[in-house]
Amino acid sequence: MSHQTGIQASGSVKDIFVGARNGQYRLLKIVIDNEQLVVGSSRQPVGSWEKDYDSFILPLLEDKQPCYILYRLDSQNAQGYEWIFIAWSPDHSPVRQKMLYAATRATLKKEFGGGHIKDEVFGTVQDDVSLNGYKKYLISQSSPAPLTAAEEELRQIKINEVQADVGVDTKHQTLQGVAFPIAKDAIQALEKLKNKKLNYVQLQIDMKNEIIILANTFDTELKDLPKRVPKDAARYHFFLYKHTHEGDYLESIIFIYSMPGYTCSIRERMLYSSCKSPLLEIVETQLWMQIARKIEIDNGDELTADFLYEEVHPKQHAYKQSFAKPKGPAGKRGIRRLIRGPAETETPSD
């Protein structure tokens, strides 16, 4: 979900937008100044859109300052000329500026008129938004991207889905595991998280009474997350991950299943592993919570900013074959991996 800042275009800028939509301009550079959207630069057409592109756009991109570029194509749709919307957010610009521009992006599109925008391009280096970069973007949009690990996991779950009546207040035995009932205060906390009134919910299994209960709802930022993971007990964590991606400010809910190796008893490992999938089914299908990513970890130290970003936004395309690392010995637990699905329940060994 994107959030807006309240920054809007001034009346004079809106007048310029009217002229731009009618074909008066080839390019508008929009910046935020004194909490308003203002026109930083403009250019009128000289040649075709392709001939004008690099010579108009690239000189306007600053190394440490985000901006927006509205660039007019020569094609038209039912509403008029079509435009490319470029969100420029260089890596070395201040974090506050990146966040501000990311959060104001939707406002600018609305002020200009979203029906006129044919394509949106996000860039951190000039190659991303050059003419060549734009054409690469068009090629990538025209071909379907491969499934991410999470999408493939979801596909497999749907294929093998067992039709079972799994409820909040009842215990069921299914092929996916054991569905323990969830305590009322835990359900209420998850509802608050879904509505962004909380940013963290931790659940635990009361093994004596066979119920999933609320452990805590401590206010938790990304830097606090590793400290929330117990070193001697398993837990389920739901975390509201606030970050920027491709120019948008996002708030994504992440599910984290922490199991600290074999310091836990066999019964605890069995129960947490077996209850995991039914719990997620209830959360997603009955509470209607959208979970962006499901992660399994051994240790809270794994939860760095880079690790979470790469898990939530995995690279879609690999351009060359990477070396396949041989698998380790059977039974050895990796330090981090995605949750694979209901078939991965653990069984005790004698």
Side-chain angles (χ1 to χ4, degrees):
M1 173 183 285
S2 298
H3 290 257
Q4 300 180 27
T5 57
I7 294 174
Q8 295 182 329
S10 65
S12 60
V13 171
K14 291 180 181 179
D15 291 340
I16 293 174
F17 284 171
V18 172
R21 291 193 294 267
N22 291 331
Q24 183 177 347
Y25 299 96
R26 171 71 76 193
L27 174 149
L28 295 176
K29 177 181 179 180
I30 308 297
V31 298
I32 298 174
D33 185 37
N34 291 327
E35 298 187 353
Q36 277 195 322
L37 291 167
V38 301
V39 177
S41 183
S42 63
R43 295 291 301 270
Q44 295 182 337
V46 175
S48 68
W49 76 268
E50 288 185 273
K51 289 182 178 179
D52 290 344
Y53 192 98
D54 280 343
S55 62
F56 278 23
I57 292 176
L58 299 185
L60 298 178
L61 304 178
E62 300 177 49
D63 291 337
K64 296 182 179 181
Q65 179 60 47
C67 70
Y68 310 109
I69 300 287
L70 290 162
Y71 187 82
R72 179 172 68 76
L73 300 170
D74 294 329
S75 57
Q76 298 188 38
N77 59 24
Q79 297 191 39
Y81 281 104
E82 294 181 314
W83 292 71
I84 305 170
F85 180 87
I86 299 173
W88 172 247
S89 184
D91 289 331
H92 299 297
S93 54
V95 173
R96 185 180 181 279
Q97 286 291 306
K98 290 181 182 180
M99 297 288 282
L100 182 64
Y101 274 81
T104 311
R105 183 175 173 178
T107 299
L108 174 56
K109 288 163 55 181
K110 181 179 178 181
E111 297 273 13
F112 183 75
H116 293 270
I117 296 173
K118 180 176 183 287
D119 294 304
E120 291 185 53
V121 181
F122 173 78
T124 59
V125 296
Q126 289 197 359
D127 287 346
D128 293 338
V129 298
S130 66
L131 180 60
N132 189 44
Y134 174 58
K135 290 182 176 179
K136 287 181 179 178
Y137 164 81
L138 293 178
I139 293 172
S140 70
Q141 292 297 108
S142 63
S143 58
L147 294 178
T148 65
E151 290 167 340
E152 177 62 24
E153 174 194 351
L154 183 59
R155 187 181 74 86
Q156 290 296 331
I157 289 174
K158 288 183 177 180
I159 290 174
N160 300 304
E161 194 172 41
V162 177
Q163 298 299 325
D165 180 20
V166 179
V168 171
D169 301 317
T170 56
K171 175 184 174 182
H172 293 262
Q173 180 74 42
T174 74
L175 291 182
Q176 293 187 345
V178 180
F180 282 174
I182 305 173
K184 184 177 180 181
D185 59 346
I187 291 292
Q188 292 171 343
L190 290 170
E191 290 278 9
K192 288 181 179 179
L193 178 75
K194 184 184 74 171
N195 295 323
K196 311 299 172 64
K197 295 178 180 178
L198 293 174
N199 61 10
Y200 176 75
V201 172
Q202 182 182 122
L203 304 181
Q204 68 181 94
I205 296 177
D206 180 341
M207 291 187 287
K208 180 179 179 180
N209 297 308
E210 296 188 340
I211 184 173
I212 297 175
I213 62 174
L214 181 65
N216 70 73
T217 58
F218 297 142
D219 184 60
T220 302
E221 301 300 328
L222 181 56
K223 62 180 176 61
D224 306 316
L225 192 56
K227 297 183 292 186
R228 302 288 183 251
V229 179
K231 297 184 182 298
D232 58 354
R235 289 290 187 273
Y236 302 125
H237 314 259
F238 294 83
F239 176 60
L240 185 62
Y241 176 41
K242 302 176 182 179
H243 62 291
T244 60
H245 174 63
E246 295 189 346
D248 284 325
Y249 173 66
L250 304 174
E251 294 184 348
S252 308
I253 296 176
I254 300 174
F255 171 78
I256 302 166
Y257 166 41
S258 65
M259 172 62 70
Y262 289 88
T263 60
C264 300
S265 68
I266 291 177
R267 182 167 184 263
E268 183 175 355
R269 296 201 304 270
M270 285 282 294
L271 285 177
Y272 273 88
S273 179
S274 297
C275 289
K276 175 185 61 188
S277 292
L279 168 65
L280 288 171
E281 183 180 354
I282 290 171
V283 168
E284 291 180 307
T285 64
Q286 296 189 27
L287 301 185
W288 296 100
M289 182 185 292
Q290 293 185 344
I291 299 177
R293 202 64 164 168
K294 301 164 189 175
I295 302 170
E296 181 177 344
I297 62 168
D298 298 325
N299 192 301
D301 294 338
E302 299 172 47
L303 298 174
T304 64
D306 289 342
F307 171 66
L308 283 184
Y309 184 86
E310 290 169 5
E311 292 293 337
V312 176
H313 303 289
K315 294 181 179 178
Q316 297 289 322
H317 301 280
Y319 292 99
K320 59 182 180 180
Q321 184 74 27
S322 60
F323 175 74
K325 184 178 178 181
K327 294 182 179 179
K332 186 175 181 180
R333 188 184 186 89
I335 61 170
R336 63 173 72 156
R337 64 178 183 272
L338 290 179
I339 295 170
R340 295 302 180 194
E344 273 198 10
T345 55
E346 301 182 46
T347 57
S349 57
D350 295 328

